[in-house]
Amino acid sequence: MAEDIQSKLDKYRTAPFDARFPNQNQTRNCWQNYLDYHRCQKALETKGVDVAPCDYYKRVYKSLCPLAWIEKWDGQRDDGTFPGKI
C-alpha cells in the first residue's frame, strides 16, 4: 500500500478534484487540507509511524493556498494562537 501512495505522489501535479468542495472558491479546501496535514502528522508521530502518507495533504494545500496564508498559520501555530483544532 505504501508503494501505491508513493507512486501517486510521484505522479502528482496539482490538487485533484475533491467532491467536498465542488465550487470555484477553493478557500475551504485549502484550509481543510492544511488542518488534515497537521492532524495526520500529529497522529502518526504519536504512534511512532512514518509520516510519509501525510505528504499528500501537504502537496494539496501548498498547491491551493497562498504562501502568505501558510506563513501566517505556521506563525500562529508556533505562537499557540492558531484558530483550528489540530
Side-chain angles (χ1 to χ4, degrees):
M1 182 165 166
E3 295 86 27
D4 284 344
I5 293 171
Q6 190 59 40
S7 67
K8 287 181 182 178
L9 285 175
D10 291 340
K11 296 177 188 174
Y12 180 82
R13 296 283 181 233
T14 187
F17 175 74
D18 190 340
R20 298 176 297 170
F21 310 101
N23 301 319
Q24 287 181 336
N25 187 346
Q26 293 295 298
T27 302
R28 294 250 328 138
N29 193 356
C30 158
W31 172 255
Q32 190 61 49
N33 278 289
Y34 184 84
L35 291 177
D36 288 345
Y37 170 71
H38 290 288
R39 287 177 184 159
C40 176
Q41 191 175 31
K42 181 179 177 182
L44 293 182
E45 284 177 350
T46 301
K47 293 179 183 179
V49 181
D50 183 30
V51 295
C54 302
D55 288 343
Y56 170 79
Y57 298 115
K58 185 175 185 177
R59 287 184 174 199
V60 172
Y61 86 73
K62 288 211 176 239
S63 170
L64 293 172
C65 300
L67 289 176
W69 293 3
I70 296 169
E71 290 170 0
K72 177 183 173 186
W73 294 337
D74 287 342
Q76 288 175 337
R77 282 187 320 103
D78 292 341
D79 297 340
T81 60
F82 185 69
K85 289 186 177 184
I86 295 177

